[in-house]
Every structure is written in C-alpha cells, then in structure tokens.
Amino acid sequence: MLVAEILKGKGDAVFTLAPDASLNEACAELQRRQVGALIVCEADRVRGVLSERDIVRAIARDGAQALERPVAQYMTSEVVFADPAETVEALMARMTARRIRHLPVLMDQRLSGVVSIGDVVKCQIAEATQEAESLRTYIAAG
C-alpha cells in the first residue's frame, strides 16, 4: 500500500501552528484536535513538528516556564517528510529507524497530509487481515 492510499482513507487534514505560538497554546490545540503532533508552519513553509514527546521534554528541561515560551524553541526542526508514492513498508522502516511517530506528507512541495505510526500500523493490520481471509477462502474452496 502507498502513502497516498492511507491519506485517501484518513483524509488530508493537517493541524498546524505558528512558530511563535506558546507551548501552552500547542497543548490546548493538541487536546482540541485529539492528535499527538502539530505541524509548525510559517506561511506555506513547514518549519518543524511539535509532538507530545517534545512537550514532555521541554517541561522536564525547563519546568512550567516552558509553557509560556514559543513552540519554535522546542519543536523538532529537522523535519522528515513522506512522499505519497512511498510504500508503507518504506515508511515504517524510516519511522522505526529515526524513532519518528508523525511524518508530514509533501506533494508537489505542498503539505498534503500527515501520516502517523498509528496509521501505518492500522494499514499493516488491514493488509494482514485481508491476506488471512483470502487464504481461508482459498483453503475452504479446496
């Protein structure tokens, strides 16, 4: 399965935040959107990814004061992107090797979605279930 097919199923909604938003605002947005990461954008350019993990590390390092500081101080600024034509297997390997849970997807240099490790696992489970059902049908047909 390709990344483009995952986005077809889940949609292309991307939740973004400006780099100068406070960490506290980011926490509220994560809660409101029920997601684990936000894409930090300035105009149409991706500047970083802010995940729950980044927030935990910020508070551990700087205490409650971190919540008043801009997300640009704590976001992951070395963004790893996914391409719609990539396979789920390639994506999973890269996410595992780099310990990344959320990948923004670029199509024609434009942000077109986000794929999470949960999306990848859900896809793998669906493929395994479909394969098992095909085998059952084949065996039952004798």
Side-chain angles (χ1 to χ4, degrees), residues 109-120:
Q109 299 301 313
R110 293 190 53 118
L111 189 59
S112 63
V114 176
V115 176
S116 73
I117 194 70
D119 298 327
V120 172

Side-chain angles (χ1 to χ4, degrees), residues 14-18 37-41 46 48-50 103-104 111 114:
V14 178
F15 303 118
T16 63
L17 197 63
L38 298 167
I39 308 303
V40 182
C41 294
V46 174
V49 176
L50 183 77
L103 292 179
L111 189 59
V114 176

Side-chain angles (χ1 to χ4, degrees), residues 3-12 122:
V3 169
E5 294 172 64
I6 292 176
L7 292 180
K8 272 186 202 171
K10 76 174 269 189
D12 59 0
K122 180 179 175 183

Side-chain angles (χ1 to χ4, degrees), residues 16 71-72 92 125:
T16 63
V71 299
M92 184 182 294
I125 290 170

Side-chain angles (χ1 to χ4, degrees), residues 27-59:
C27 290
E29 188 69 4
L30 287 167
Q31 171 62 30
R32 187 167 79 83
R33 299 294 189 174
Q34 297 289 299
V35 295
L38 298 167
I39 308 303
V40 182
C41 294
E42 198 167 42
D44 283 345
R45 190 157 187 266
V46 174
R47 296 290 184 186
V49 176
L50 183 77
S51 69
E52 294 165 327
R53 184 183 293 169
D54 294 322
I55 294 168
V56 168
R57 288 178 178 154
I59 294 170

Side-chain angles (χ1 to χ4, degrees), residues 96-127:
T96 301
R98 303 274 313 254
R99 298 183 57 134
I100 299 171
R101 300 178 59 86
H102 301 87
L103 292 179
V105 180
L106 287 184
M107 183 183 308
D108 300 324
Q109 299 301 313
R110 293 190 53 118
L111 189 59
S112 63
V114 176
V115 176
S116 73
I117 194 70
D119 298 327
V120 172
V121 169
K122 180 179 175 183
C123 174
Q124 293 291 93
I125 290 170
E127 285 181 349

